[in-house]
Amino acid sequence: MAEAVAGWLVCPVIRIVVDKAKSCAADRIRWLNGGVPDALQQLDGALTQLRAVASAVERSRGGGDLDRWLLQLKDAVYEADEVVDEFEYRTLGPPRSPLVKIGKQLVGTDESLNRLKGVIKKLDGINDSSGRLMQAAGLQPSWSGELSGHPPTPVGPATGSLLEDSEVFGRDAERKKMVSWLVAASPPDRADPRAAAIPVAAIIGLGGMGKTTLARVLLHDDLVKETFNLVMWVCPSATYHKVGLVKQILQSAGVEVPDNMNNFDCLQRRLEDAVSSKRFLLVLDNVWNKGGMDEDNWSEVLAPLRCGQPGSKIMVTTRKKIVANLLKASKLVPLDGLAFADVWSLFTRIAFSNDSADKHPALQAIGEQLVHKLKGLPLAAKVVGGMLKASRSISHWKRISEMESYANVTSTLELCYRNLQEHLQPCFAICSIFPKNWRFRRDKLVKIWMALDFIRPAEADGRKLEDVGKEYFDQLVQGSFFHERKEGHQNYYYIHDLMHDLAESVSRVDCARVESAEEKQIPRTVRHLSVTADAVTQLKGRCELKRLRMFIILKHSSSSLSQLPDDILKELKGVRVLGLDGCDMVDLSDKIGQLMHLRYLALCKTITRLPQSLTKLFLLQTLSIPKRCRPEQFPKDMRNLKYLRHLDMDRASTSKVVGIGELIHLQGSIEFHVKREKGHTLEDLYDMNGLCRKLHIKNLDVVSSKQEASKAGLRKKQGIKVLELEWNSTGKSDPSVDAQVLEGLEPHPHVEEEVGGPASSWAASLPEGFAFERDVLTETDWQ
């Protein structure tokens, strides 16, 4: 597959750069050099044309020259992305005198403009060479996103209801439960056939778990065959829609449907007639969440089936939990890996055929070791057993057993990956740089995706990028790429071993993980790298650090890293994500300020000093500091970080950030200490409308009036769920003044709804006899 040779898809990256170039070019006012918008428009045109060609090449999975062409294109696209970011970076920063600002902007812009012109020249050359390659491969540019002249790639193999093998191993418990459910009488609300939808059961599991086999076994059960007088088996096509689905169901019911009959209402009436006198079972096998079918579409497709006789049922097999939700399944049957004994029985039946494993003790020992590696997958047992069936050579069996991966075994999982929407593919593949059994936090991973531009602003449609990213993540969970586990009060996510192997396979061109100082050379194509702390100093000469967009240092069990060497740090010129979690450094190097592209910075728990140069990271979105780590102080110009969205740290420490009110994109919880000095007044909170969860305001005794208090703009902060107000008067305060201040601090109604009480009773809802002196007012006080 092309992903394994040329890396993950380049088309989503092209689309991101095009969007950024258009946005940057549209703001002509800020460009002193008029050539910048024109060059950005040229970049837009060149990339748009190349995207059509790249789409066709990627879908063809041609290999050879086509893959080399894709890699060349990807390099140029990433370089273009860097240049566009440089333009954005140079327009930010602290205010300077007009002459200094103009001079620096002109010099910097000229450098970036010359680089951009060079990139456009490269792209033109790549475009020129594409014609010959496309002609040789018999391809046409795919302007619509589909490969011209070829049918769309099917989602999976077409399936049928016939049982391929009379001997089935395992799944006894699932089979018994499903038989009981299938033959059971209708629930009370199905006494009237039109009163409720047909009951639906969903068999859910990863590819290769035996979902289709279990469905076939159930159809051939004697009790089931006696229960239903009409059985329909439908395997939806790759790009199914409601008209096509109804046609397939009708055809499975034995009803002839003319090819030109596409009137949905007419098809529905035919389906009503076909099932009206029948107690039927409809099997929808290998259903994917594709084709734009939402819950309403499915309801329309299945509506005529309500005319079936009581006891009718629907059974669906799918890899995606979201499909079960769309079909409103009332019964879920998750399939996990088979027990070792069942997989071993299946494996030996295929590998040894009519022979007995006991006759070959050496092969039996090798086979048992191999079957343990198959992780309970029946499909894997079949494929590997087939690979060994023709040979009784011990050396051959050993070679197969010692393979790092089994290409045929992973083909089903690769199919799952290829059928992800293109913007989800890199979101999953990037996870390969984390070790197996890594505990993922959804919010943290979403912030990394944002920093890598995996989440497109164009898709936000007025929503926060974080919310779009959460949707991406939830789609991957529903597709079984992650599975959730609750630990205490926290929800964490894990990737199954086989899925992790898949991530490594599809990302090995783009990603690498170094877990030993002695490991081999890192491919030059790698742009996302994780290393254990002991291997960091060995990276020079093994990796082109300047190409990296993500660099994560992981903890090592027996060694630590007290400082990231400056010679490595200064080479990370293009890095967007820098994770220093695995270090034990106390001081962060001043060289950090040279990483102009940095968007995500995670520090280690031992950090105590942050350099002033940190405030030059104008594109930074997330600064993550472990809660147990409390820096002595923050750089004085933190207000320069205009794009900062997440200051993930101990809430009390946020009060040390001078000018935090200028970070108007900041989200999350903060603590704010009111003072009579610039950067610490309530008015500084006015534009911080992205704050969410908890806001703690202290030292309110220095506020003298309702008008001054209202400048905090708390009514605009609808994300705040907990508002904590604190007066710290050392002397006796004036209750009437404090009451006016409290009125001016009236929060958004969302807060009040959480705690109760109408808007007009905000101040009146104080506890009777409440004293403001040295008291803290929290949300519980006005309940």
Side-chain angles (χ1 to χ4, degrees):
M1 54 190 286
E3 295 92 342
V5 180
W8 57 52
L9 302 178
V10 71
C11 285
V13 185
I14 292 177
R15 189 166 55 182
I16 289 166
V17 179
V18 166
D19 288 346
K20 289 165 70 173
K22 285 181 177 178
S23 175
C24 203
D27 191 2
R28 284 180 170 267
I29 296 176
R30 63 179 174 176
W31 299 118
L32 298 173
N33 188 326
V36 173
D38 294 335
L40 288 169
Q41 288 174 356
Q42 290 178 39
L43 176 66
D44 176 6
L47 288 175
T48 301
Q49 188 169 6
L50 280 165
R51 186 172 183 269
V53 179
S55 178
V57 173
E58 287 178 328
R59 291 175 183 273
S60 73
R61 303 186 179 95
D65 289 342
L66 292 176
D67 284 329
R68 284 188 285 274
W69 182 87
L70 279 176
L71 287 172
Q72 187 182 13
L73 173 60
K74 183 182 287 188
D75 282 347
V77 170
Y78 278 130
E79 188 176 357
D81 188 33
E82 288 185 5
V83 179
V84 174
D85 280 349
E86 286 177 14
F87 286 127
E88 184 69 22
Y89 180 88
R90 297 190 191 285
T91 64
L92 301 172
R96 298 186 178 96
S97 68
L99 288 177
V100 172
K101 184 174 182 180
I102 290 172
K104 285 186 173 290
Q105 187 172 338
L106 279 173
V107 172
T109 301
D110 284 346
E111 291 175 357
S112 299
L113 180 57
N114 290 334
R115 189 180 174 195
L116 178 57
K117 290 178 179 178
V119 172
I120 294 171
K121 188 174 180 180
K122 285 182 186 177
L123 292 171
D124 288 341
I126 292 170
N127 191 33
D128 291 343
S129 66
S130 67
R132 175 182 56 80
L133 288 173
M134 296 284 282
Q135 186 175 7
L139 301 175
Q140 293 293 326
S142 178
W143 296 104
S144 64
E146 293 291 334
L147 179 59
S148 177
H150 294 265
T153 304
V155 170
T159 63
S161 61
L162 295 180
L163 194 59
E164 296 173 354
D165 201 314
S166 59
E167 191 173 9
V168 178
F169 299 92
R171 305 298 184 205
D172 293 336
E174 292 91 344
R175 179 166 48 183
K176 288 177 182 177
K177 289 179 181 178
M178 279 300 297
V179 168
S180 297
W181 182 82
L182 287 168
V183 303
S186 293
D189 61 359
R190 282 290 301 159
D192 176 3
R194 294 179 181 269
I198 303 295
V200 179
I203 302 173
I204 306 171
L206 296 174
M209 282 295 178
K211 302 181 294 296
T212 298
T213 299
L214 176 59
R216 289 170 177 157
V217 168
L218 292 170
L219 260 63
H220 288 78
D221 183 271
D222 290 336
L223 279 176
V224 174
K225 287 194 287 187
E226 293 170 7
T227 300
F228 301 100
N229 50 22
L230 173 63
V231 174
M232 298 168 283
W233 180 285
V234 172
C235 181
S237 59
T239 54
Y240 63 86
H241 47 82
K242 61 183 185 181
V243 171
L245 269 175
V246 176
K247 280 187 174 183
Q248 283 186 276
I249 296 171
L250 282 169
Q251 290 165 350
S252 184
V255 178
E256 289 189 15
V257 183
D259 291 337
N260 60 354
M261 180 180 285
N262 294 308
N263 184 288
F264 187 63
D265 183 66
C266 182
L267 291 169
Q268 282 185 306
R269 287 198 297 270
R270 285 203 175 196
L271 185 54
E272 279 187 359
D273 294 338
V275 301
S276 60
S277 60
K278 304 288 197 305
R279 181 174 181 174
F280 68 82
L281 170 61
L282 170 62
V283 179
L284 297 168
D285 186 49
N286 195 28
V287 180
W288 293 71
N289 180 33
K290 292 183 73 80
M293 288 282 290
D294 58 18
E295 189 174 304
D296 292 338
N297 293 144
W298 275 107
S299 296
E300 290 175 4
V301 168
L302 302 180
L305 300 180
R306 298 186 182 192
C307 296
Q309 293 298 301
S312 296
K313 303 285 172 64
I314 297 173
M315 181 167 59
V316 59
T317 72
T318 181
R319 298 171 190 168
K320 296 180 174 287
K321 294 177 185 175
I322 190 173
V323 171
N325 296 335
L326 290 175
L327 271 70
K328 301 178 182 177
S330 58
K331 184 175 183 61
L332 302 180
V333 184
L335 295 190
D336 296 317
L338 291 175
F340 173 82
D342 294 323
V343 182
W344 174 248
S345 297
L346 176 58
F347 172 82
T348 54
R349 204 279 313 273
I350 296 173
F352 292 96
S353 193
N354 296 324
D355 210 350
S356 171
D358 295 335
K359 295 180 181 179
H360 306 278
L363 297 182
Q364 184 175 7
I366 297 170
E368 287 177 351
Q369 293 177 0
L370 194 155
V371 167
H372 277 295
K373 297 180 180 180
L374 301 183
K375 305 174 178 71
L377 270 176
L379 176 61
K382 289 181 180 180
V383 172
V384 178
M387 293 168 65
L388 298 172
K389 182 176 181 180
S391 173
R392 294 292 178 265
S393 164
I394 294 177
S395 61
H396 176 65
W397 277 55
K398 278 186 175 180
R399 183 177 64 81
I400 296 299
S401 177
E402 293 169 359
M403 289 172 59
E404 288 296 322
S405 62
Y406 303 91
N408 289 327
V409 175
T410 59
S411 60
T412 301
L413 298 182
E414 289 177 352
L415 185 63
C416 293
Y417 174 80
R418 288 203 303 271
N419 280 279
L420 280 175
Q421 294 177 339
E422 66 175 25
H423 62 270
L424 295 179
Q425 293 185 10
C427 293
F428 169 69
I430 195 71
C431 297
S432 68
I433 74 166
F434 297 100
K436 286 188 176 181
N437 299 317
W438 186 264
R439 191 169 68 174
F440 290 93
R441 293 286 297 269
R442 181 179 69 172
D443 290 349
K444 181 174 181 178
L445 194 54
V446 166
K447 291 167 188 173
I448 290 175
W449 291 346
M450 287 172 52
L452 295 172
D453 285 329
F454 289 172
I455 302 174
R456 297 180 59 223
E459 293 177 357
D461 193 25
R463 297 173 297 162
K464 293 192 297 187
L465 290 179
E466 290 81 358
D467 293 334
V468 178
K470 288 174 184 176
E471 287 184 8
Y472 286 11
F473 190 91
D474 291 344
Q475 290 171 33
L476 289 171
V477 172
Q478 290 171 337
S480 300
F481 287 86
F482 292 92
H483 63 270
E484 185 177 7
R485 188 184 304 167
K486 191 172 184 64
E487 299 178 12
H489 297 293
Q490 297 287 342
N491 288 335
Y492 296 98
Y493 297 85
Y494 294 82
I495 296 178
H496 188 280
D497 280 358
L498 278 180
M499 281 298 191
H500 196 281
D501 292 342
L502 170 66
E504 290 183 352
S505 173
V506 299
S507 70
R508 65 178 181 266
V509 171
D510 299 275
C511 303
R513 191 176 69 253
V514 178
E515 297 179 280
S516 168
E518 290 78 31
E519 289 192 22
K520 57 186 179 182
Q521 187 78 11
I522 300 165
R524 71 173 298 276
T525 57
V526 165
R527 295 181 182 274
H528 308 87
L529 177 69
S530 68
V531 298
T532 49
D534 64 318
V536 171
T537 56
Q538 309 298 320
L539 285 177
K540 293 284 287 185
R542 294 173 55 192
C543 174
E544 291 195 40
L545 297 172
K546 65 182 180 181
R547 296 171 59 89
L548 294 182
R549 297 169 72 86
M550 181 174 182
F551 182 60
I552 303 289
I553 299 178
L554 305 170
K555 244 191 181 338
H556 190 267
S557 57
S558 60
S559 65
S560 62
L561 185 68
S562 59
Q563 188 58 266
L564 181 61
D566 281 350
D567 61 338
I568 288 180
L569 190 58
K570 70 182 182 181
E571 285 204 34
L572 298 172
K573 297 177 181 178
V575 76
R576 267 79 172 157
V577 175
L578 180 60
L580 304 177
D581 315 56
C583 302
D584 291 314
M585 62 180 65
V586 175
D587 292 341
L588 183 62
S589 171
D590 290 335
K591 297 291 190 296
I592 194 74
Q594 298 177 9
L595 309 183
M596 71 162 65
H597 298 284
L598 196 62
R599 289 166 165 78
Y600 178 99
L601 176 60
L603 302 178
C604 55
K605 61 185 179 182
T606 52
I607 285 284
T608 60
R609 190 189 76 86
L610 301 175
Q612 181 64 29
S613 63
L614 181 73
T615 63
K616 294 182 180 179
L617 304 176
F618 305 142
L619 299 179
L620 193 66
Q621 298 171 349
T622 298
L623 176 58
S624 178
I625 305 175
K627 289 191 175 180
R628 69 184 71 178
C629 170
R630 298 189 178 184
E632 298 166 358
Q633 61 181 18
F634 285 84
K636 63 179 181 179
D637 293 324
M638 288 289 288
R639 57 169 60 90
N640 294 343
L641 306 181
K642 303 296 186 185
Y643 283 9
L644 193 65
R645 303 168 71 92
H646 302 282
L647 191 53
D648 298 337
M649 56 185 292
D650 176 63
R651 181 169 49 84
S653 295
T654 59
S655 63
K656 301 177 184 178
V657 180
V658 179
I660 195 171
E662 295 185 43
L663 306 180
I664 61 174
H665 299 293
L666 202 62
Q667 302 172 34
S669 303
I670 69 166
E671 182 173 301
F672 189 83
H673 294 186
V674 184
K675 301 178 184 178
R676 293 193 182 281
E677 56 187 67
K678 187 176 181 181
H680 292 282
T681 67
L682 283 179
E683 188 174 1
D684 289 294
L685 293 174
Y686 186 79
D687 290 321
M688 299 187 74
N689 298 322
L691 295 177
C692 52
R693 297 192 295 276
K694 187 171 185 176
L695 172 60
H696 183 181
I697 306 177
K698 300 179 71 171
N699 303 338
L700 284 168
D701 46 285
V702 305
V703 183
S704 59
S705 68
K706 175 181 177 180
Q707 182 181 10
E708 183 182 350
S710 65
K711 291 180 180 179
L714 297 190
R715 280 193 61 84
K716 300 191 300 177
K717 299 172 182 19
Q718 57 184 323
I720 297 296
K721 301 303 178 189
V722 177
L723 178 61
E724 191 169 308
L725 306 175
E726 184 172 343
W727 279 256
N728 291 327
S729 299
T730 54
K732 189 173 182 180
S733 63
D734 183 343
S736 62
V737 172
D738 292 337
Q740 291 178 24
V741 169
L742 186 60
E743 282 191 45
L745 293 172
E746 183 176 357
H748 189 277
H750 283 184
V751 174
E752 199 164 0
E753 288 171 3
E754 291 287 324
V755 300
S760 60
S761 66
W762 159 246
S765 63
L766 285 172
E768 185 176 355
F770 180 82
F772 288 95
E773 288 185 275
R774 305 184 62 79
D775 275 326
V776 177
L777 176 65
T778 69
E779 78 286 355
T780 57
D781 293 316
W782 60 73
Q783 283 184 339

